[in-house]
């Protein structure tokens, strides 16, 4: 008897500002921020996912995936307004939750965050 | 009261404490000075929002309507540049809007400058035809600063909403003078100016709709004040002044309107009773009462102005009064060059008195009669000669 196996994880590719690509597996239900931290991807999360900063800003490269995401709340939009390098398909990584439809999504990391560090210092994840 | 207005004493009263003992930086988070200052700025923000039917979170303080217009136009076009390349505005906009558009054209964007009809209003059919799939924004000022005409903003807003194009309006001469509701009029961005409504100079505001959200690229980089859209310490006394001015304007709008309408009628009737060949530039029907732009045939504007030194009027608007070319706004109305040269803009406001109006009438009539007496053109007109039929030759 063939058993229908539901995918419990999806594949997401992070693209850094230099163009390096890293594809990781994200369990369904996990946020992109958490997934990035678990895989040592350089994504700051100053407020630890409590919608109080803009440092986990990611850019959804394909509009098709952007449209599949739930619309941002006013609070998320307010934080996005403060993000460095905002685009039309920007979201906060802590608010993008993995679901099966998002398999194959590519997320670009912006060139900088609002935390000022022109000397190249990168704050460690909390 | 067009180029500017005196600060209402009540506004000055509200501002003074923030220059003297309550001088904190509103962004200082750790002490009472900062908290007091921040509270004052937030209260002012609510007062500005209330004037136009917006939410306080949608108001950004700037250095004036010029800056707000720059942020609105360049900010929107730059943010959406990947998909949208086109903007629409009118030929009678304020210079800061037109210059921002020219600058955008230099950067490779396309701009359509809509013409206006003889009465100064835009043609809605032409606007609709000009909208393209890649149009990002339509910018049409609510009340024109030179001729005082009021554009059909509700219809424009409806059209823009249907076509999913942002609607920006320069409300510097309108806010606080005519009722405005950004939701009824479907306005997405609006520029406001402090010193046009009896507030201090050096401050203005930008209304930026939150739902659906309008995004702009900031024109000032820095610490991210004002929601990241306008970095720089907010000048508390100026913001408080603007808030107070908006608050007073909202409460006294109906009263001011009655006062100003009566004075405008008095001025117009007083002049036309004694003088012939006086033409009003722009629609008389769709007009803000505090502005009266008149052309006196066969009288040169600058000479008339020199004789009217006691009255603060201008030929063209303050920002164009230094140039020698006649006003581009009048040219857009199709006014003949010689009539454009003779145009005078009279401004009437909250503090204008009947005595001032009567004195203006007296002086104007005297000057115009004197100049016409000297004018060979006027003699010819009186004799029934059509000036356009004359062949001017050089010796």
């Amino acid at each position: 008897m063939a058993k229908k196996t539901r995918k419990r994880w999806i594949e997401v590719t992070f693209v850094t500002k230099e163009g390096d690509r890293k594809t990781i597996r994200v369990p369904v239900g996990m946020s992109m921020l958490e997934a990035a931290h678990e895989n040592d991807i350089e994504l700051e999360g100053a407020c630890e996912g409590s919608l109080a900063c803009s440092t986990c800003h990611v850019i959804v490269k394909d509009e098709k995936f952007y449209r599949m995401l739930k619309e941002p709340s006013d609070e998320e939009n307010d934080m996005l307004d403060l993000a460095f390098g905002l685009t039309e398909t920007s979201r906060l990584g802590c608010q993008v939750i993995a679901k099966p439809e998002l398999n194959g999504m590519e997320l670009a990391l912006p060139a900088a965050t609002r935390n000022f560090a022109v000397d190249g210092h990168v704050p460690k994840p909390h | 009261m067009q180029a500017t207005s005196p600060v209402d004493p009540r506004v000055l009263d509200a501002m003074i404490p923030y220059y003297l003992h309550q001088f904190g930086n509103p962004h200082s988070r750790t002490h009472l000075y900062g908290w007091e200052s921040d509270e004052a700025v937030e209260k002012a923000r609510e007062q500005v929002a209330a004037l136009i039917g917006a939410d306080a979170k949608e108001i950004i303080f700037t250095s004036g309507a010029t800056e707000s217009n720059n942020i609105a136009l360049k900010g929107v076009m730059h943010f959406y540049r990947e998909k949208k390349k086109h903007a629409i505005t009118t030929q009678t906009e304020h210079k800061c809007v037109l210059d921002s558009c020219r600058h955008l054209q230099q950067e490779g964007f396309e701009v359509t400058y809509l013409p206006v009809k003889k009465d100064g209003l835009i043609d809605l059919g032409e606007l609709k035809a000009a909208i393209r799939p890649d149009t990002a924004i339509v910018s049409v000022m609510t009340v024109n600063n030179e001729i005082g005409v009021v554009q059909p903003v509700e219809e424009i807003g409806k059209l823009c909403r249907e076509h999913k194009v942002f609607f920006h309006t320069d409300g510097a001469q309108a806010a606080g003078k005519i009722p405005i509701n950004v939701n009824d009029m479907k306005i997405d961005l609006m520029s406001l100016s402090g010193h046009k409504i009896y507030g201090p100079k050096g401050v203005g505001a930008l209304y930026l709709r939150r739902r659906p959200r309008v995004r702009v690229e900031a024109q000032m980089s820095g610490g991210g004040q004002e929601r990241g859209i306008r970095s720089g310490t907010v000048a508390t006394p100026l913001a408080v002044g603007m808030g107070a001015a908006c608050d007073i304007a909202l409460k006294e709008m109906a009263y001011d309107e009655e006062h100003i309408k009566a004075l405008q009628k008095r001025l117009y009737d007083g002049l036309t009773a004694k003088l012939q060949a006086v033409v009003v530039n722009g629609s008389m029907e769709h007009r803000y009462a505090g502005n009266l732009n008149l052309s006196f045939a066969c009288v040169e504007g600058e000479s008339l102005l020199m004789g009217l030194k006691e009255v603060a009027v201008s030929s063209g608007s303050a920002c164009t009064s230094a140039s020698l070319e006649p006003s581009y706004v009048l040219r857009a109305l199709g006014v003949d060059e010689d009539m454009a040269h003779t145009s005078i803009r009279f401004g009437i406001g909250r503090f204008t008195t009947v005595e001032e109006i009567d004195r203006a009438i007296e002086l104007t009539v005297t000057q115009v009669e004197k100049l016409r007496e000297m004018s060979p053109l006027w003699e010819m007109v009186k004799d029934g000669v059509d000036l356009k039929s004359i062949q001017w030759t050089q010796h």
Side-chain angles (χ1 to χ4, degrees), chain B residues 58-118:
Chain B
E58 298 173 308
I59 301 291
I60 308 281
F61 283 111
T62 64
S63 64
T66 294
E67 187 186 345
S68 303
N69 282 332
N70 266 262
I71 298 175
L73 286 154
K74 294 180 189 164
V76 164
M77 296 307 290
H78 286 173
F79 188 84
Y80 295 98
R81 58 155 45 109
E82 297 292 310
K83 302 227 194 73
K84 310 274 183 172
K85 306 265 185 267
H86 179 236
I88 301 175
T89 184
T90 74
Q91 290 178 4
T92 52
E93 292 299 305
H94 191 274
K95 263 210 169 152
C96 56
V97 169
L98 295 179
D99 201 46
S100 298
C101 287
R102 283 204 303 194
H103 180 91
L104 287 169
Q105 283 180 296
Q106 293 287 90
E107 291 181 337
F109 293 97
E110 286 172 41
V111 180
T112 300
Y113 299 92
L114 289 174
V116 293
K117 301 182 283 195
K118 270 202 156 0

Side-chain angles (χ1 to χ4, degrees), chain B residues 132-154:
Chain B
R132 313 186 326 205
D134 68 340
T135 303
I137 191 171
V138 167
S139 178
V140 179
M141 69 201 314
T142 311
V143 172
N144 187 284
N145 56 314
E146 279 196 44
I147 54 180
V149 294
V150 183
Q151 298 288 352
V153 275
E154 265 198 58

Side-chain angles (χ1 to χ4, degrees), chain B residues 1-2 145-146 264 267 271 278 287-296 304 308 311-316 343-349 357 360-361 364-365 368:
Chain B
M1 296 288 143
Q2 291 292 285
N145 56 314
E146 279 196 44
Q264 185 206 42
L267 177 64
L271 288 171
V278 177
R287 164 176 295 279
Y288 165 58
N291 174 306
L292 196 57
N293 190 306
L294 301 171
S295 283
F296 301 91
L304 180 54
L308 288 179
V311 189
V313 288
S314 73
S315 151
S343 80
I344 299 284
R345 175 181 77 170
F346 292 90
I348 304 167
I357 295 286
I361 296 174
T364 309
V365 168
V368 169

Side-chain angles (χ1 to χ4, degrees), chain B residues 4 8 31 43 60 72 83 107 140 142-143 161 194 204 206 220 253 271 275 281 287 309 311-312 337 370 373 375:
Chain B
T4 186
D8 190 308
H31 51 69
K43 173 154 171 247
I60 308 281
K83 302 227 194 73
E107 291 181 337
V140 179
T142 311
V143 172
R161 196 49 78 77
L206 175 65
M220 293 286 285
M253 204 184 304
L271 288 171
L275 298 171
N281 294 311
R287 164 176 295 279
K309 288 230 180 65
V311 189
E337 215 180 294
K370 189 165 110 189
E373 199 63 21
S375 163

Side-chain angles (χ1 to χ4, degrees), chain B residues 359-378:
Chain B
R359 185 89 184 104
I361 296 174
E362 200 189 313
L363 282 172
T364 309
V365 168
T366 314
Q367 280 307 308
V368 169
E369 284 180 341
K370 189 165 110 189
L371 288 166
R372 279 181 174 168
E373 199 63 21
M374 289 193 269
S375 163
L377 291 175
W378 182 244

Side-chain angles (χ1 to χ4, degrees), chain B residues 149-367:
Chain B
V149 294
V150 183
Q151 298 288 352
V153 275
E154 265 198 58
E155 284 92 336
I156 299 173
K158 191 155 161 269
L159 196 59
C160 289
R161 196 49 78 77
E162 273 168 22
H163 289 85
K164 297 215 175 11
V165 175
F166 290 131
F167 176 33
H168 164 251
T169 182
D170 178 353
Q173 296 281 357
K177 298 180 172 173
I178 60 172
I180 293 185
N181 185 298
V182 290
N183 289 316
D184 292 344
M185 295 168 170
K186 302 195 175 37
I187 294 172
D188 299 309
L189 300 101
M190 181 175 213
S191 307
L192 296 107
S193 169
H195 72 112
K196 299 291 195 301
I197 48 170
Y198 316 98
K201 293 180 181 61
V203 67
L206 175 65
Y207 159 74
L208 211 49
R209 180 174 284 280
R210 266 176 109 221
R211 263 185 241 109
R213 195 159 289 234
V214 180
R215 291 229 145 91
V216 293
E217 187 193 78
Q219 301 299 303
M220 293 286 285
S221 306
Q225 288 81 6
E226 296 298 282
R227 267 174 61 196
I229 291 166
R230 205 276 182 180
S231 291
T233 301
V234 172
T236 308
L238 293 179
V240 165
M242 177 146 193
C246 288
D247 191 50
I248 294 172
L250 182 61
K251 297 191 173 113
E252 304 193 349
M253 204 184 304
Y255 177 83
D256 282 346
E257 198 188 325
E258 255 187 66
H259 170 80
I260 292 169
K261 264 210 166 94
L263 289 179
Q264 185 206 42
K265 187 169 190 322
R266 193 184 180 89
L267 177 64
Y268 183 68
D269 290 346
L271 288 171
T272 49
K274 306 252 181 68
L275 298 171
Q276 298 172 296
V278 177
V279 176
V280 176
N281 294 311
S283 163
M284 210 39 193
E285 199 195 316
H286 300 279
R287 164 176 295 279
Y288 165 58
N291 174 306
L292 196 57
N293 190 306
L294 301 171
S295 283
F296 301 91
C298 303
V299 167
E300 209 278 313
E302 296 293 319
S303 349
L304 180 54
L305 280 185
M306 289 201 286
L308 288 179
K309 288 230 180 65
E310 232 184 88
V311 189
V313 288
S314 73
S315 151
S317 65
C319 49
T320 61
S321 52
S323 76
L324 293 174
E325 284 295 305
S327 146
Y328 61 85
V329 173
L330 294 178
R331 191 170 66 235
L333 290 184
V335 174
D336 279 334
E337 215 180 294
D338 45 344
M339 283 300 261
H341 270 295
T342 88
S343 80
I344 299 284
R345 175 181 77 170
F346 292 90
I348 304 167
R350 182 186 292 165
F351 299 108
T352 313
T353 63
V354 172
E355 291 78 19
E356 287 173 338
I357 295 286
D358 288 341
R359 185 89 184 104
I361 296 174
E362 200 189 313
L363 282 172
T364 309
V365 168
T366 314
Q367 280 307 308

